[in-house]
């Protein structure tokens, strides 16, 4: 056995184990060497599977080798070659070839002397390098002299995660240093070439630094930076040099964060110092002027992606300091800047469409050179007087609902929550400030737009605070400062329309991403959130369309196209925010509410009530600003006509006429049920419905008077020079149409929208009168045969003397009559649930 299995112990043990694995107990013959068997299987001759092994010794040696192989670690497979080195070499050759081309063009250019702006450019570059060394001198040295290239243990490079660990930190560092040198040479070569081909004209000799020179540089009168000089945008070297400078800034941030980590300490110390130095260098480099502001804004937004990018690259390292809160500040800043960049690009594409106007650049879409007024949005042209349009759009911004809600709360003795009271105050101040700002000429010296943006930021943050349960670690003051910085930066570099458009995209996305971490909208129902998002998108779509396609819309028909935005945003969207915030503070937002439709009806009533109010103020402002030397002669007959209509209504039903404008149910302790409670919701309250109806009635009455007075000025009567006493001859002229005293139905008034508005208000007053009359008496046979016939007769007489049965206005009169036929059925259906309501008396239903 010793000679068979081996003389030494190791060989003996190995062959013994192999012999036990492969040989059968009762047969030591080489042909009986078996392969390992699984339980329940028959033995298989070894040479059937391995014909090359024919004896016992080789059989056992083979098994020994297999057992030894199991104990050894598996050999590493050779890594497959990646494209990263090839791509890095290719990318490095691009700036090298470009620099070589620019350098050759500089050498071949016929220049007799060194340009005068070369020395200031060198000083500017030295100042940039000095600022970078003050922030992080180690990072600056590593950019151009990375010692890891020659180190034995270079450690892991920050870019190893995205370029591949097999590439090697030493190789990556060499490539990065090479590209940094190429980028630095690209900045120098491009600036020198542009100094030759686009020389400065108002800087003939080197001047010592002074406050006067600094002011000229900042204001743009002296453009020493050839990369940002006027006229350089037609040379591709301008964009190449600016891109190289931007790459160097990114590389500096990368090396600095690689050394210190992208934590709070870096963000609050080196990050703020980097931002401050960048803003100062950009200011003196001419990148905040009109021509280059877009490039600077793009660079700033792309910088916002860097903390998130480097934080993701360093997230695998255990020594990387974390942000300190579950939200991840770098990620939020990166998403914010990335989405802002997308919005700016999308709006830039929209501005390039045919028929568009860049309202952010062309601030004087409508102007009155005599008064120096320029309006940014698509507001009505100055047809009559310069200040009328300003005053009209001013009234759309006024906070009617917040003031009214505050008065009602004070009168009823209700105590508002602190968050809702702050929201109410901020919204009131915001709307009053924008209203005041709309009446000032543009350009505005008091920074109206900037203050409006800051107030809007406070208003929105306070709304989120009132409707959310923020975590304890969230500092709202820091959120306000960051929100201000982002909003003002986007406004300054990209324009107001871009900022508004970005809000419609960013707010819903951030709300969806961080609704769990920040508990955004946790006190508001999902239905309210969706309605708010839809309203916001609709509002932004309105202002985007009317600002971009203003001239196209005015060429079709001159109308105040900015009105829908003002009404929807300041009177509908703002009221919706107040409504949801009040529901969140009262704790009824997420409760099961069967009368949600009733609350929605109240909101719709409030929103609809703003329309006639603002339109009336618009007409009043135009009437007051119109140059009229004397009162039109048809005003007195118009007043007599209105008084006659009021007398006819009082003759039919005095109580109904009084209730239209002075409904005592508003102050009654037990107001009873209102006729409109069925369609507006019983939970709304009869007192509230009565107040809304009275308000609308007053607005409609003022709408009739204001429209008639305005049309008397804009479309004066020609054959009625003085007041004539009533007579049959005058009556015949009025009925036949030879004397048209009613300015709403006068020939020529159909070209003014005030004619249709005044007629609609009169029709609404007629409907309201019938509603109040049937509410008091019931819509039975008695009312139909007595008050209904009297109402029809008075209406026909007033329509006859008002000129509504003539050729031009007969269509309106027929429409009004047909719509009146719907009223008995409507009010009968509203009253059908009441047991005391008299029925029609026949099964058909008259």
């Amino acid at each position: 056995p010793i000679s068979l299995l081996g003389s030494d112990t190791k060989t003996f043990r190995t062959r013994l184990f192999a012999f036990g694995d492969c040989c059968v107990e009762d047969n030591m013959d080489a042909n009986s060497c078996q392969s390992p068997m699984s339980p329940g299987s028959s033995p298989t001759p070894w040479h059937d599977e391995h014909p090359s092994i024919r004896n016992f010794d080789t059989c056992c040696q083979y098994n020994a080798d297999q057992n030894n192989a199991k104990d050894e670690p598996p050999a590493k497979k050779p890594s497959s070659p990646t494209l990263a080195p090839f791509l890095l070499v290719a990318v490095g050759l691009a700036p090298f070839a470009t620099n070589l081309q620019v350098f050759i063009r500089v050498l071949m250019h016929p220049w007799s002397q060194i340009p005068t702006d070369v020395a200031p450019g060198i000083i500017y570059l030295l100042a940039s390098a000095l600022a970078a060394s003050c922030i992080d001198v180690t990072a600056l040295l590593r950019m151009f002299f990375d010692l890891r290239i020659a180190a034995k243990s270079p450690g892991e490079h920050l870019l190893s995660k995205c370029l591949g660990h097999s590439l090697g930190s030493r190789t990556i560092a060499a490539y990065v240093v090479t590209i940094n040198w190429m980028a630095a040479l690209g900045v120098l070569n491009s600036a020198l070439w542009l100094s030759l081909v686009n020389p400065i004209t108002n800087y003939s000799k080197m001047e010592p630094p002074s406050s006067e020179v600094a002011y000229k540089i900042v204001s743009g009168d002296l453009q020493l930076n050839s990369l940002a000089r006027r006229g350089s945008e037609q040379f591709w070297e301008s964009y190449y040099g600016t891109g190289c400078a931007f790459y160097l800034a990114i590389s500096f941030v990368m090396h600095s964060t690689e050394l210190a980590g992208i934590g709070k300490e870096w963000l609050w110390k080196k990050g703020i110092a980097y931002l401050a130095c960048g803003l100062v260098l950009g200011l003196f480099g001419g990148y905040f002027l009109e021509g280059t502001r877009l490039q600077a804004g793009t660079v700033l937004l792309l910088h916002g992606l860097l903390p998130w990018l480097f934080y993701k690259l360093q997230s695998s390292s255990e020594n990387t300091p974390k942000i300190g809160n579950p939200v991840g500040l770098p990620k939020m800043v990166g998403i914010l800047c990335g989405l802002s960049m997308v919005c700016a690009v999308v709006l830039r594409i929209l501005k390039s469409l045919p028929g568009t106007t860049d309202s952010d650049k062309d601030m004087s879409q409508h102007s009155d050179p005599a008064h120096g007024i320029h309006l940014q949005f698509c507001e009505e042209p100055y047809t009559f007087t310069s200040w009328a349009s300003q005053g009209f759009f001013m009234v759309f911004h006024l906070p009617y609902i917040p003031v009214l809600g505050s008065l009602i709360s004070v009168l009823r003795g209700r105590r508002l929550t602190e968050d809702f009271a702050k929201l109410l105050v901020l919204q009131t101040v915001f709307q009053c400030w924008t209203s005041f700002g709309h009446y000032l000429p543009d350009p505005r010296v008091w920074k109206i737009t900037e203050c409006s943006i800051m107030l809007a930021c406070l208003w929105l943050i306070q709304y989120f605070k009132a409707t959310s349960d923020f975590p304890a670690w969230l500092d709202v003051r820091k959120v306000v400062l960051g929100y201000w910085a982002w909003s003002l930066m986007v406004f300054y570099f990209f324009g107001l329309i871009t900022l508004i458009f970005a809000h419609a995209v960013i707010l819903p996305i951030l709300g969806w991403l961080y609704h769990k971490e920040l508990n955004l909208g946790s006190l508001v129902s999902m239905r309210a959130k969706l309605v708010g998002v839809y309203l916001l998108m609709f509002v932004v779509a309105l202002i985007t369309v009317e600002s971009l396609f203003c001239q196209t819309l005015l060429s079709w028909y001159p109308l105040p196209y900015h009105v829908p935005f003002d009404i929807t945003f300041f009177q509908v969207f703002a009221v919706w925010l107040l409504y949801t915030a009040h529901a969140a503070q009262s704790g009824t937002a997420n409760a099961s509410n069967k009368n949600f439709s009733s609350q929605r009806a109240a909101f719709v009533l409030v929103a609809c009530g703003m329309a006639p109010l603002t339109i009336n103020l618009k007409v009043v402002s135009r009437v007051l600003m119109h140059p009229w030397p004397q009162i039109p002669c048809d005003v007195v007959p118009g007043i007599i006509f209105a008084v006659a209509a009021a007398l006819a209504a009082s003759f039919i039903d005095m109580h109904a006429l009084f209730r239209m404008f002075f409904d005592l149910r508003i102050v009654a302790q037990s107001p009873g049920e209102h006729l409109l409670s069925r369609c507006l919701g019983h939970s709304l309250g009869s007192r509230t419905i009565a107040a809304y109806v009275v308000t609308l009635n007053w607005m409609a009455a003022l709408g009739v008077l204001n429209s008639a007075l305005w049309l008397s000025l804009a479309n004066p009567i020609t054959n009625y020079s003085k007041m004539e006493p009533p007579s049959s001859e005058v009556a015949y002229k009025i009925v036949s149409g030879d004397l048209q005293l009613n300015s709403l139905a006068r020939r020529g008034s159909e070209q003014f929208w005030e004619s249709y508005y005044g007629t609609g208000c009169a029709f609404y007053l007629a409907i309201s009168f019938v509603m109040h009359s049937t509410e008091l008496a019931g819509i039975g046979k008695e009312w139909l045969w007595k008050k209904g016939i009297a109402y029809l007769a008075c209406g026909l007489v007033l329509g006859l003397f008002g000129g509504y049965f003539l050729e031009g206005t007969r269509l309106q009169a027929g429409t009004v009559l047909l719509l009146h036929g719907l009223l008995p059925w409507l009010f009968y259906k509203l009253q059908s649930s009441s047991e005391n309501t008299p029925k029609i008396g026949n099964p058909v239903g008259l």
Side-chain angles (χ1 to χ4, degrees), residues 757-811:
Y757 172 67
T759 304
C761 288
F763 175 53
Y764 165 78
L765 288 175
I767 292 178
S768 180
F769 175 75
V770 175
M771 181 191 71
H772 285 85
S773 180
T774 55
E775 186 181 19
L776 290 170
I779 188 72
K781 281 186 176 181
E782 183 179 358
W783 189 92
L784 286 174
W785 289 109
K786 292 182 179 180
K787 295 184 179 181
I789 292 178
Y791 172 81
L792 179 61
C794 292
L796 291 175
V797 172
L798 291 173
L800 184 64
F801 281 93
Y804 285 105
F805 292 161
L806 300 176
E807 186 66 31
T809 56
R810 193 176 297 170
L811 183 62

Side-chain angles (χ1 to χ4, degrees), residues 509-580:
I509 293 178
L510 288 182
W512 174 64
L513 291 176
Y514 295 103
H515 70 281
K516 291 183 179 180
E517 289 85 353
L518 296 178
N519 296 327
L520 280 176
S522 58
L523 305 179
V524 182
S525 64
M526 181 57 67
R527 182 184 297 179
K529 294 177 187 176
L530 293 177
V531 172
V533 170
Y534 292 152
L535 280 175
L536 178 63
M537 291 183 175
F538 178 69
V539 166
V540 173
L542 284 177
I543 195 170
T544 303
V545 171
E546 61 100 351
S547 60
L548 294 181
F549 299 93
C550 178
Q551 300 299 332
T552 304
L553 294 172
L554 291 176
S555 63
W556 292 345
Y557 195 82
L559 285 175
Y561 290 102
H562 191 56
V563 171
F565 169 78
D566 281 339
I567 292 180
T568 310
F569 181 76
F570 289 100
Q571 308 302 337
V572 179
F573 180 69
V575 173
W576 177 258
L577 294 188
L578 279 181
Y579 164 70
T580 53

Side-chain angles (χ1 to χ4, degrees), residues 166-453:
S166 62
L167 194 59
S169 298
R170 185 180 292 106
T171 308
I172 296 176
Y175 283 143
V176 171
V177 168
T178 305
I179 295 178
N180 288 341
W181 277 105
M182 292 298 102
L185 292 176
V187 175
L188 296 176
N189 293 332
S190 300
L192 183 58
W193 167 251
L194 291 171
S195 297
L196 296 173
V197 296
N198 185 29
I200 190 171
T201 56
N202 56 346
Y203 192 74
S204 58
K205 63 179 181 178
M206 178 69 179
E207 297 182 9
S210 62
S211 59
E212 183 180 359
V213 174
Y215 177 76
K216 289 182 179 180
I217 293 174
V218 172
S219 61
D221 297 334
L222 185 62
Q223 292 184 316
L224 295 177
N225 183 11
S226 59
L227 296 175
R229 187 175 299 154
R230 295 185 189 93
S232 295
E233 64 274 1
Q234 58 182 333
F235 299 97
W236 62 266
E237 288 85 357
S238 171
Y239 304 99
Y240 172 66
T242 305
C244 289
F246 175 52
Y247 165 76
L248 289 175
I250 292 179
S251 181
F252 175 76
V253 176
M254 180 191 72
H255 285 85
S256 180
T257 55
E258 186 181 18
L259 290 169
I262 186 74
K264 277 187 176 181
E265 184 179 356
W266 189 92
L267 287 174
W268 287 110
K269 292 183 180 180
K270 296 184 179 181
I272 293 178
Y274 173 80
L275 179 62
C277 292
L279 292 177
V280 172
L281 292 173
L283 184 66
F284 282 94
Y287 284 104
F288 293 164
L289 300 176
E290 186 66 33
T292 56
R293 194 176 295 173
L294 186 63
Q295 300 178 21
T298 306
V299 169
L300 281 176
L301 286 180
L302 291 176
H303 266 81
L305 297 173
L306 299 183
W308 183 27
L309 173 64
F310 297 141
Y311 180 73
K312 293 293 289 182
L313 290 177
Q314 295 180 7
S315 61
S316 61
S317 176
E318 297 179 359
N319 299 323
T320 304
K322 298 299 186 291
I323 296 302
N325 56 67
V327 179
L329 182 60
K331 181 180 179 181
M332 177 177 284
V333 172
I335 293 175
L336 185 65
C337 294
L339 292 176
S340 304
M341 196 66 233
V342 171
C343 294
V345 171
V346 170
L347 207 60
R348 197 71 183 172
I349 295 174
L350 292 177
K351 290 177 181 179
S352 63
L353 295 176
T356 59
T357 303
D358 191 353
S359 62
D360 290 324
K361 191 176 293 185
D362 184 12
M363 297 291 289
S364 56
Q365 291 199 23
H366 305 284
S367 61
D368 187 3
H371 297 81
I373 298 176
H374 307 282
L375 297 181
Q376 181 178 5
F377 300 109
C378 196
E379 304 177 26
E380 190 176 6
Y382 298 105
T383 306
F384 306 99
T385 179
S386 59
W387 296 100
S389 183
Q390 298 281 86
F392 166 50
F393 286 96
M394 177 187 71
V395 300
F396 284 96
H397 293 247
L398 291 175
Y400 306 106
I401 297 304
V403 173
L404 183 62
S406 303
L407 290 176
I408 292 176
S409 300
V410 171
L411 292 176
R412 292 191 176 185
R414 292 182 176 179
R415 185 177 179 84
L416 301 176
T417 60
E418 182 180 359
D419 287 335
F420 185 75
K422 289 181 180 179
L423 179 65
L424 205 60
V425 171
L426 285 174
Q427 183 169 334
T428 304
V429 174
F430 169 60
Q431 292 188 238
C432 290
W433 179 259
T434 54
S435 175
F436 167 71
H438 240 72
Y439 205 71
L440 292 181
D442 215 354
R444 298 162 177 143
V445 295
W446 288 346
K447 299 298 180 183
I448 296 295
T449 308
E450 288 81 353
C451 295
S452 300
I453 291 172

Side-chain angles (χ1 to χ4, degrees), residues 141-161:
L141 289 176
R142 181 175 277 193
M143 283 178 61
F144 301 99
F145 307 99
D146 198 337
L147 299 179
R148 289 177 294 184
I149 299 175
K152 292 184 178 180
S153 301
E156 186 181 8
H157 199 279
L158 181 63
L159 298 180
S160 298
K161 192 174 181 182

